[in-house]
Amino acid sequence: SDATVAKMDRLEALRNLDMYPKAKEEFRVRTMQGGLSTLVAAVVALALVRTEMRHALKIQTHDRLFVNASHGAGLQVRFELEFPRANCDLLSLDANDEGGQPL
């Protein structure tokens, strides 16, 4: 029937898009170099994935604060910071005025 022929044509068109066509077994040649290169490629791919995941999951902090000095002398700044894993002896806060003098 025409529907069956049309379906087979669509399947054949899809099969032609295959990026990795299968060769018949009698045409395949497996070599030691091919196995070694596959193993090296797999190890490199795993190392790259591991490196990318480590980089993507790494926590990065940037401690910067910019104050707009155009508001005059009466600028009130309030901080509420928590460092649950930091030792209190390691924490400090330095505050300077517009001229760079400590407050």
Side-chain angles (χ1 to χ4, degrees):
S1 78
D2 291 335
T4 306
V5 171
K7 184 177 180 181
M8 294 299 285
D9 288 340
R10 280 184 264 145
L11 289 176
E12 187 63 32
L14 183 61
R15 193 172 292 128
N16 288 335
L17 292 176
D18 188 6
M19 289 179 67
Y20 305 103
K22 310 301 181 269
K24 293 185 179 180
E25 190 63 39
E26 61 263 16
F27 296 120
R28 292 184 191 169
V29 177
R30 296 176 189 255
T31 63
M32 184 66 75
Q33 292 85 4
L36 185 61
S37 64
T38 300
L39 185 61
V40 168
V43 168
V44 169
L46 286 174
L48 290 173
V49 167
R50 182 173 176 245
T51 303
E52 286 296 320
M53 289 298 292
R54 184 183 298 166
H55 179 69
L57 297 175
K58 185 171 79 171
I59 297 173
Q60 296 179 355
T61 59
H62 300 281
D63 53 348
R64 295 186 187 126
L65 176 66
F66 298 100
V67 177
N68 185 357
S70 65
H71 288 289
L75 180 63
Q76 181 181 6
V77 179
R78 182 177 157 202
F79 291 101
E80 289 186 31
L81 302 173
E82 293 182 19
F83 300 98
R85 294 184 182 160
N87 189 350
C88 291
D89 296 335
L90 300 176
L91 300 177
S92 69
L93 177 65
D94 298 327
N96 299 337
D97 65 5
E98 293 175 1
Q101 298 298 318
L103 294 176

